[in-house]
């Protein structure tokens, strides 16, 4: 069936580096994508979203890129900080379906 | 912080107990959800309510029984659970069922 998955289970970076977290999706009908951050002991927190009519969207220190040709989504975090350490999930919606989540990538930021 | 409050934060129960998880949202949303999060697994959707009507039930065992008395409150009634049901149970809400979700902090459930 259709699925959303992440390429890397764990990403380790140094403080100040830029981080890139990737996500592949298989449903070509997906038209809305969301990135969530989940810190230990908390629920997932919305970071940024993008619709399929866009290929890039920027927020505060974060950028989401969407490549519909290869069905790939990425989250870029600029100047990564220790507080960015968390699990990051991508999620997608197609049509009238509810959100489908990927497995998550653990981001570890060392000082 | 997110406008979705879950209680209790932690729960330990035996297999013969009956307990309930509570969720309340203060966002004026129309849809509410229960998710199960186990270690090393994706978030698993359990139930979806839209305007207090259950619209999705993903083959969840009958030992989990949801209740949505109004659009701001959602319960998950638990009875005769199994140890494999130990997980983080997350409640979420959204304006509509095809929009982004806002999550509570979850209830960490341990079944002994």
């Amino acid at each position: 069936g259709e699925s959303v998955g992440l390429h890397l289970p764990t990403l380790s970076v140094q403080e100040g580096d830029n981080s890139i977290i990737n996500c592949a999706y298989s449903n070509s009908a997906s038209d809305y994508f969301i990135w969530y951050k989940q810190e230990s002991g908390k629920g997932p927190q919305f970071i940024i979203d993008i619709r399929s009519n866009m290929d890039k969207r920027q927020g505060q220190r974060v950028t989401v890129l969407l490549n519909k040709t290869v069905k790939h989504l990425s989250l870029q975090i600029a100047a990564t900080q220790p507080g960015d350490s968390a699990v990051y999930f991508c999620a997608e919606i197609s049509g009238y379906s509810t959100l489908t989540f990927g497995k998550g990538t653990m981001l570890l930021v060392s000082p | 912080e997110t406008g979705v409050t879950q209680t209790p934060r932690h729960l330990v129960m035996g297999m013969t107990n009956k307990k309930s998880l509570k969720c309340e949202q203060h966002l004026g949303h129309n849809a509410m959800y229960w998710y199960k999060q186990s270690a090393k697994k994706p978030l698993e959707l359990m139930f979806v309510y839209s305007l207090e009507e259950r619209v999705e039930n993903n083959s969840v065992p009958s030992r989990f029984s949801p209740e949505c008395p109004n659009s701001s409150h959602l319960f998950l009634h638990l009875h005769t659970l199994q140890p494999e049901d130990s997980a983080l149970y997350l409640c979420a809400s959204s304006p509509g069922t095809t929009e982004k979700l806002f999550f509570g902090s979850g209830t960490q459930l341990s079944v002994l």
Side-chain angles (χ1 to χ4, degrees):
Chain A
E2 303 288 1
S3 65
V4 176
L6 294 172
H7 292 305
L8 297 174
T10 303
L11 176 64
S12 296
V13 300
Q14 293 285 118
E15 182 177 2
D17 288 352
N18 295 331
S19 302
I20 299 176
I21 301 172
N22 297 303
C23 179
Y25 65 95
S26 56
N27 186 353
S28 56
S30 296
D31 54 11
Y32 181 40
F33 303 88
I34 305 169
W35 280 101
Y36 283 90
K37 171 187 180 184
Q38 186 174 21
E39 298 174 270
S40 180
K42 297 183 179 180
Q45 178 184 9
F46 169 81
I47 303 173
I48 193 167
D49 57 1
I50 189 167
R51 297 205 176 266
S52 58
N53 61 350
M54 302 174 69
D55 52 24
K56 181 179 180 179
R57 190 156 188 231
Q58 289 184 291
Q60 187 176 11
R61 281 201 307 117
V62 295
T63 301
V64 56
L65 298 177
L66 175 63
N67 185 331
K68 295 180 285 293
T69 302
V70 296
K71 296 198 279 287
H72 185 267
L73 190 70
S74 68
L75 177 70
Q76 300 179 0
I77 305 173
T80 313
Q81 303 167 1
D84 294 326
S85 294
V87 176
Y88 290 81
F89 294 93
C90 65
E92 56 93 8
I93 292 177
S94 65
Y96 294 100
S97 69
T98 52
L99 230 55
T100 300
F101 287 87
K103 290 184 178 180
T105 292
M106 169 76 78
L107 177 65
L108 299 174
V109 183
S110 47
Chain B
E1 296 173 0
T2 65
V4 180
T5 304
Q6 288 187 245
T7 54
R9 289 296 310 276
H10 302 274
L11 179 63
V12 179
M13 58 188 290
M15 289 189 285
T16 58
N17 292 159
K18 290 185 179 180
K19 296 287 184 183
S20 295
L21 310 185
K22 180 182 176 182
C23 178
E24 183 174 0
Q25 59 100 358
H26 311 277
L27 301 168
H29 290 167
N30 291 323
M32 295 189 78
Y33 310 75
W34 280 117
Y35 279 86
K36 176 183 178 182
Q37 188 175 35
S38 304
K40 300 181 180 179
K41 285 187 178 181
L43 283 157
E44 299 174 58
L45 178 63
M46 299 176 73
F47 301 104
V48 181
Y49 277 82
S50 177
L51 296 170
E52 302 147 48
E53 296 285 331
R54 190 190 306 180
V55 297
E56 192 162 339
N57 173 359
N58 280 2
S59 301
V60 179
S62 59
R63 56 186 184 269
F64 295 91
S65 175
E67 178 189 2
C68 188
N70 55 62
S71 59
S72 299
H73 293 86
L74 186 65
F75 296 89
L76 187 63
H77 304 299
L78 316 171
H79 65 97
T80 59
L81 294 192
Q82 303 299 311
E84 59 265 29
D85 297 322
S86 298
L88 180 67
Y89 288 84
L90 290 159
C91 174
S93 71
S94 62
T97 56
T98 60
E99 300 177 70
K100 61 179 175 276
L101 274 59
F102 295 78
F103 285 87
S105 295
T107 295
Q108 186 65 55
L109 174 67
S110 296
V111 182
L112 304 179

